[in-house]
Amino acid sequence: MAKKRPQTKPGKAGQAQVTNGEIPVVGAREPCPCGSGRRYKACHGRAAAHAVTELVQRPFEGLPGECDWVALRELVPAATVPLTLKDGLPEGVPSVTLATVLPMAWPALRRDDGSVLLALQNDSSSGDLARDLGDTLLRALEAEPGSPVAPRRVPAEGPRLQDLLDPNGDFAPDVHSGFEFWIPESADNSNPEVAASLERANAAAIPTVKLTSVDSAYWCETPDKNHLRWVMPHAEEKLLDALARLQAAGTSSLGADTRLVGSFRAHGLMVPVWDLPTSMTAEDCEKPAAAFAERLAEALASDAPLSIEERRARGGLTNRQVTLS
């Protein structure tokens, strides 16, 4: 067995002490700079670790297009969105673009021309996606042109996306059929790793289309049936009541051979899901979705107690929820 190392006594010569001001971050097993004699992870590092790992339920709250942020994070294979920075673009950075995913799972990429691509579907190290993405964005803005940004554990305190992006900026996703946006038209397409990653990504991408008649609804095509997945901003309990009213009244579908089958939970929002026949295209969904939005608005406005049939419908909807994040 390894011998126990005696703890350093508070105030012992050679030990750095901090009695006032901010406690610096040191290694988890090192003595805490506050002079307590305990290891950092058991002293001031405990609060820092908690701050880093605490899960933020709605990381995109307050951003323009919160529902579309959720959709691009969880549901849409290939999409890009131009981003507007609160303080404008730094010199040498012609544009910043959000992308669902980048080759080799890079968190971000500074292209040869200085433009930045920021990936949305990477793992979170802090439990707060907005803080992770804010850290990655700042590092991408300072990266050398032509280089990717490596993943890292982000500091417990740091800017979030909400601190960096213009709150009045547009958020208009452009959904793609594949990932060719990774490679600019003028770029050399000879990198074998990028080419292989592009081929794998394109093979796995599910055809997806964003509807234009309603907000944050995405049609997708799968081998057995098509689906409509619609990210909604309403509070979960209120939305479940409204969907239950429509379900009990027989008005929750989007037409013949379609049905509301359940919902996802993702980043604090609900995503109702409809099964559609394989013959139903995204264009075919536009009018039925717009009509459903009107019915849903009426149901959301009702404060009447649920009937027995509506409570039964609500129970069924609750049982068919799947949490994605």
Side-chain angles (χ1 to χ4, degrees):
M1 291 178 62
K3 291 184 179 179
K4 276 190 175 181
R5 244 168 56 181
Q7 280 193 328
T8 306
K9 299 292 184 184
K12 187 161 182 163
Q15 181 182 357
Q17 295 189 54
V18 178
T19 56
N20 294 305
E22 183 178 345
I23 304 298
V25 175
V26 298
R29 291 180 165 276
E30 295 181 39
C32 186
C34 75
S36 67
R38 290 180 293 172
R39 290 178 177 176
Y40 178 70
K41 70 176 183 178
C43 192
H44 282 83
R46 181 182 298 169
H50 177 72
V52 168
T53 58
E54 188 173 9
L55 180 64
V56 174
Q57 297 293 335
R58 287 181 63 180
F60 308 119
E61 186 175 14
L63 291 172
E66 179 187 5
C67 293
D68 286 310
W69 278 92
V70 171
L72 268 56
R73 167 72 185 182
E74 300 294 341
L75 307 173
V76 180
T80 54
V81 189
L83 297 179
T84 303
L85 303 189
K86 185 180 291 185
D87 297 325
L89 292 169
E91 184 177 355
V93 180
S95 65
V96 175
T97 302
L98 182 73
T100 46
V101 68
L102 292 175
M104 277 81 78
W106 290 329
L109 171 66
R110 182 90 185 271
R111 282 178 161 165
D112 292 333
D113 66 354
S115 61
V116 167
L117 285 177
L118 176 67
L120 181 57
Q121 294 182 8
N122 289 73
D123 292 337
S124 171
S125 65
S126 73
D128 181 357
L129 276 170
R131 194 176 305 284
D132 288 348
L133 289 163
D135 178 79
T136 301
L137 175 56
L138 287 181
R139 291 190 292 133
L141 293 172
E142 298 175 352
E144 289 294 322
S147 61
V149 174
R152 75 169 185 178
R153 178 175 289 279
V154 304
E157 298 295 332
R160 307 176 74 235
L161 282 175
Q162 288 83 344
D163 302 317
L164 303 175
L165 300 184
D166 184 351
N168 299 313
D170 291 331
F171 193 81
D174 185 7
V175 179
H176 305 280
S177 59
F179 295 88
E180 282 73 19
F181 65 85
W182 285 353
I183 304 171
E185 293 181 4
S186 59
D188 178 12
N189 194 14
S190 60
N191 186 320
E193 288 185 326
V194 173
S197 186
L198 176 63
E199 184 177 354
R200 289 193 300 270
N202 281 344
I206 296 173
T208 302
V209 177
K210 186 179 188 297
L211 299 194
T212 59
S213 59
V214 295
D215 294 332
S216 310
Y218 292 81
W219 171 95
C220 68
E221 178 183 9
T222 61
D224 296 329
K225 62 185 70 174
N226 298 341
H227 304 279
L228 184 70
R229 302 180 291 192
W230 192 340
V231 187
M232 296 186 173
H234 317 291
E236 180 174 329
E237 296 303 313
K238 187 72 173 176
L239 181 54
L240 279 170
D241 283 352
L243 292 173
R245 296 181 197 280
L246 298 179
Q247 188 90 315
T251 57
S252 63
S253 75
L254 300 175
D257 299 322
T258 72
R259 68 187 186 102
L260 175 63
V261 292
S263 62
F264 297 130
R265 283 196 194 95
H267 305 291
L269 298 181
M270 265 185 65
V271 188
V273 178
W274 285 262
D275 278 352
L276 313 172
T278 55
S279 60
M280 191 170 187
T281 66
E283 186 177 358
D284 295 333
C285 290
E286 296 285 5
K287 287 185 178 179
F292 177 86
E294 294 181 2
R295 299 195 298 273
L296 179 63
E298 292 180 6
L300 285 166
S302 175
D303 291 324
L306 296 181
S307 67
I308 294 175
E309 292 78 9
E310 290 167 347
R311 289 200 299 271
R312 187 178 297 116
R314 193 186 195 280
L317 290 170
T318 302
N319 290 335
R320 295 194 299 273
Q321 285 185 306
V322 176
T323 300
L324 299 180
S325 60

